[in-house]
Amino acid sequence: MIDPVIIGTVALDSLETPFGSVKNVLGGSACYASIAASFFSKPGILSIIGKDFPDKHIKFLNKRGIDTKGVALGEKTFRWQGFYEFDMNEAKTLRTELNALESYKAEVPKDYKKAKYVFLANIDPELQLAVIDAIKKPELIVMDTMNFWIEHKKVQLMKAINKADVLVLNDAEARQIFNTPNLVKAASAALKLNTKALIIKKGEHGALLFTDNKHFNAPGYPLENIKDPTGCGDCFGGAFTGYLAKTQDLSEANLRKAVVYGSIIASYNAEGFSIERLRSIKHEDLEKRYKEFKDIREF
Ligand code: AMP
């Protein structure tokens, strides 16, 4: 069974970090998120690509057990161009070409509609809303976004946020959406909506999980070798949702474990450009870092 369903972008990225640059490589929120989720479950993605999209990338996703029949074909693939300076927690966008995404209407395949877990990765909030409506009985809707949509489609974005169970935002996005510099206040504003949990990703400094009256703080993994943080947020959300889809346990304790697995896959992802590092990690690598995460917070 397809679980989770992930909607997001499938992209060709061009980017530069202090450690190198790449052009037209595989990227996009749905790609990163589905690869991360595929360590735990069988995700299906909803997105659109163009005729310029290399077939080898689809073959790679399928080989990882990711269902791509929800990927439509348009003229030209979504493209993102960005760079990072020495503070790699912040991506600077140089250019966003929506291309085929501009007129994309998500067609949700029949078997996707039965999914219990949904990850609304970073994409136009109108598409996120369409997926919420199409899935019959979701048990958990996890949602991400970014400044581009906060600035361009705030009304639709707030509608989607009101229907999501878990929000996964970075600190800047949380401040921008809830209009406060204080993350604790942002969390209490989120929890006054329909939201059951707010996760604030703090890049290399870890992630915060706010639920009703509890607060969990996952450390950042002390990475020595960072090459490209693109997609870390998407990996976090995909792994978080994929782990919950596998374990079917929405207790506070299990949400914490899902946060740690999200952080682990995100930390590996930053070690290489595009999805290169994700290709080579194995379950043993996840468990090794899981143990290290436990040791880091022991006192
Ligand atoms: P992250 O680093 O996790 O925030 O996500 C990076 C990925 O998001 C890149 O691979 C981009 O292709 C994709 N991306 C960039 N801008 C947007 C946007 N406005 N909407 C959806 N995806 C985007």
Side-chain angles (χ1 to χ4, degrees), residues 13-191:
D13 288 345
S14 296
L15 55 106
E16 196 177 328
T17 81
F19 307 103
S21 64
V22 284
K23 275 205 162 62
N24 298 323
V25 291
L26 179 60
S29 55
C31 275
Y32 283 108
S34 62
I35 296 169
S38 71
F39 283 95
F40 308 104
S41 50
K42 188 173 173 21
I45 50 182
L46 292 164
S47 196
I48 187 162
I49 51 171
K51 292 174 186 151
D52 53 348
F53 192 75
D55 195 41
K56 65 174 185 198
H57 295 327
I58 295 291
K59 287 201 176 108
F60 164 70
L61 295 174
N62 294 153
K63 236 173 123 185
R64 288 203 62 101
I66 299 163
D67 192 292
T68 54
K69 69 176 159 315
V71 178
L73 183 65
E75 272 308 308
K76 201 172 172 206
T77 305
F78 172 88
R79 281 165 197 255
W80 177 75
Q81 202 185 335
F83 70 97
Y84 300 82
E85 287 168 338
F86 268 110
D87 176 2
M88 295 226 279
N89 287 313
E90 197 195 345
K92 306 243 168 64
T93 296
L94 287 172
R95 198 177 156 86
T96 303
E97 278 182 45
L98 294 176
N99 296 330
L101 196 64
E102 218 153 353
S103 53
Y104 170 55
K105 300 268 177 287
E107 290 272 343
V108 183
K110 217 169 147 200
D111 55 337
Y112 285 32
K113 292 184 182 173
K114 294 188 226 142
K116 298 285 175 218
Y117 291 78
V118 181
F119 180 45
L120 308 170
N122 180 25
I123 200 165
D124 187 330
E126 290 191 53
L127 291 165
Q128 295 178 316
L129 280 164
V131 174
I132 296 172
D133 287 343
I135 306 293
K136 287 192 181 134
K137 272 193 185 170
E139 263 164 37
L140 191 81
I141 299 176
V142 182
M143 175 179 165
D144 189 6
T145 191
M146 76 182 277
N147 56 357
F148 184 89
W149 304 111
I150 304 170
E151 281 148 29
H152 291 85
K153 296 212 171 171
K154 180 90 190 258
V155 174
Q156 297 89 331
L157 179 70
M158 290 316 289
K159 267 196 198 161
I161 285 180
N162 265 295
K163 293 187 175 185
D165 300 303
V166 180
L167 282 182
V168 182
L169 303 171
N170 69 31
D171 40 0
E173 291 155 1
R175 290 188 176 101
Q176 200 179 358
I177 292 176
F178 297 104
N179 207 13
T180 170
N182 183 316
L183 294 179
V184 180
K185 285 196 174 146
S188 72
L191 294 171

Side-chain angles (χ1 to χ4, degrees), residues 177-223:
I177 292 176
F178 297 104
N179 207 13
T180 170
N182 183 316
L183 294 179
V184 180
K185 285 196 174 146
S188 72
L191 294 171
K192 280 197 189 97
L193 307 172
N194 213 12
T195 316
K196 297 184 185 81
L198 172 68
I199 296 171
I200 299 183
K201 299 166 288 179
K202 292 170 67 65
E204 63 184 326
H205 307 300
L208 311 173
L209 166 69
F210 293 92
T211 47
D212 250 352
N213 40 31
K214 291 216 166 143
H215 172 215
F216 172 64
N217 189 336
Y221 184 81
L223 266 190

